[in-house]
Amino acid sequence: MQQLQQFKFYDLGAKLYGVFNLRNHGRVADLFGPLTDAQKSLDALIKGDPIELKLAKGEASKLLTQISALFDKYFIDKTNRQLRFPSGEEKVDPQELALIQLALEKFESALAAELSRIVVYPAVQRGIYSSVDLIENAHLALPESAQAYVSAAAKRELDSAGRAIGFELGTAATVHALRALETVTVSYYELFAAPLTGRNERNLTTYLRKLAALADEEDLKTRPDQRLVQLLTQIKDSYRNPVMHADAIVEVGTAASLFGLVTSAIAQIAEQIAAHQEPQAKASSTAAAESSTVISPMMPDEAKPGLMETDDGEDVYDFRISQAG
């Protein structure tokens, strides 16, 4: 989805009508800037910026052709096709400007018909979330510290949920927010148990039931946070189960509240994932360091690997590590 830059339409009109600015008084020298700007803006519109023209493209191309022809006549040397600058007193043929104005009026009519077929809706702010943030980067509602521990799939779901809230699609926003939560819940579950292989088991209800059971296992060295599991279960019971019914409709205000609740829960999950992964990474790094052989002149002679004695009695180190054993 591409954001429509409405100001470009105003800028286009200003550039096109700049050709007929009364301050020019028909002097050729005064038309260099207006003609250049009009060609540039019109060419961009024909190429699809800010919208892809259909009905008005033909009239836009005709208008550009006439403006370009007028520019070439007065500012391009016919012999070497280089820019030339006319004298300050040279005048523009009024008939030529009249033809361009007629082409402009035809283009205006075609553009008005074109724009009347384009569906544009305003996206207003929802609570503390601006419309731009909701529509483009809703996953940034998560704390920066949580971003690295949330999968790209979950972030895409959050972006879709935010976009749906921005366009008042409450039910769709709820579904996407819950999908994001389920994706992150899977990662949380796999911190404590092996991935579920059964197709029928891979759903939010099963994951939360197993997480609750693991949270009650006092013999486990690490186990899920019972309060977090209770929060996730509450979200499931209050939002996910009801929205599964075909006749369920979620208002956009309720969806926005759920979005905040889901991002809070995901942030807590990410925090706990980080707390479990960082000690493991540190332990792995320590184990790797301990398994490395460090040769130091301070070590006893019998402990120095590869220690050899030369003919003149000096000790040297053989850094070649034997592969035997």
Side-chain angles (χ1 to χ4, degrees):
M1 183 177 295
Q2 184 176 358
Q3 184 180 0
L4 182 63
Q5 298 290 340
Q6 302 95 319
F7 180 79
K8 289 188 176 181
F9 292 110
Y10 167 82
D11 184 64
L12 172 65
K15 297 291 177 56
L16 292 177
Y17 273 93
V19 177
F20 308 100
N21 194 318
L22 295 178
R23 290 178 300 175
N24 293 334
H25 300 295
R27 294 197 317 160
V28 172
D30 294 330
L31 281 176
F32 181 83
L35 287 174
T36 301
D37 291 341
Q39 288 181 94
K40 183 178 179 180
S41 295
L42 199 54
D43 181 65
L45 178 63
I46 292 171
K47 291 178 179 177
D49 183 17
I51 62 170
E52 189 73 28
L53 291 180
K54 294 180 180 179
L55 298 177
K57 191 168 186 177
E59 296 299 336
S61 298
K62 292 178 183 178
L63 177 59
L64 178 60
T65 298
Q66 289 199 330
I67 292 176
S68 299
L70 184 63
F71 183 87
D72 289 352
K73 177 178 179 180
Y74 291 107
F75 296 101
I76 300 296
D77 192 301
K78 294 181 180 179
T79 57
N80 56 19
R81 302 301 299 170
Q82 299 295 318
L83 273 177
R84 74 179 184 90
F85 295 94
S87 65
E89 299 305 319
E90 188 174 353
K91 298 290 184 178
V92 180
D93 185 349
Q95 181 70 19
E96 293 173 322
L97 288 178
L99 290 174
I100 291 180
Q101 186 160 10
L102 179 61
L104 177 57
E105 291 171 357
K106 290 182 178 180
F107 166 67
E108 277 186 331
S109 299
L111 183 61
E114 182 94 46
L115 295 179
S116 67
R117 298 166 63 94
I118 295 179
V119 181
V120 180
Y121 294 102
V124 299
Q125 180 164 328
R126 300 291 173 189
I128 63 173
Y129 306 109
S130 72
S131 58
V132 175
D133 290 336
L134 278 174
I135 293 170
E136 295 184 354
N137 297 298
H139 72 274
L140 294 181
L142 295 173
E144 185 176 352
S145 58
Q147 296 287 339
Y149 300 95
V150 178
S151 68
K155 291 177 184 178
R156 285 196 298 270
E157 293 293 346
L158 287 177
D159 286 342
S160 297
R163 195 172 299 118
I165 293 172
F167 291 112
E168 301 185 8
L169 303 174
T171 305
T174 300
V175 172
H176 284 296
L178 291 171
R179 282 166 59 95
L181 182 64
E182 182 166 349
T183 300
V184 179
T185 300
V186 172
S187 300
Y188 185 57
Y189 169 80
E190 291 177 354
L191 285 178
F192 311 101
L196 297 178
T197 56
R199 184 177 181 83
N200 294 332
E201 290 185 311
R202 297 198 298 268
N203 58 73
L204 186 59
T205 300
T206 303
Y207 283 114
L208 291 180
R209 185 172 64 247
K210 290 183 177 293
L211 282 170
L214 291 169
D216 291 334
E217 289 285 344
E218 296 183 358
D219 296 336
L220 291 178
K221 184 178 180 180
T222 58
R223 53 181 176 163
D225 186 304
Q226 196 169 47
R227 291 173 299 177
L228 177 56
V229 175
Q230 290 172 352
L231 172 62
L232 298 175
T233 303
Q234 180 184 356
I235 294 174
K236 176 186 72 70
D237 294 340
S238 300
Y239 294 97
R240 181 186 180 277
N241 292 351
V243 84
M244 291 298 102
H245 296 285
D247 58 348
I249 297 176
V250 182
E251 298 296 331
V252 66
T254 303
S257 298
L258 172 64
F259 182 81
L261 190 59
V262 165
T263 53
S264 175
I266 290 177
Q268 292 182 55
I269 292 175
E271 181 180 350
Q272 294 198 23
I273 291 176
H276 282 77
Q277 288 184 352
E278 289 174 0
Q280 293 176 2
K282 187 175 181 180
S284 299
S285 176
T286 302
E290 291 175 349
S291 65
S292 301
T293 300
V294 180
I295 301 174
S296 169
M298 301 301 294
M299 296 170 59
D301 288 349
E302 63 272 12
K304 296 177 184 177
L307 185 65
M308 300 185 299
E309 184 174 331
T310 61
D311 294 337
D312 56 4
E314 293 183 358
D315 292 337
V316 296
Y317 293 101
D318 184 0
F319 289 99
R320 294 170 297 177
I321 300 176
S322 172
Q323 301 299 313

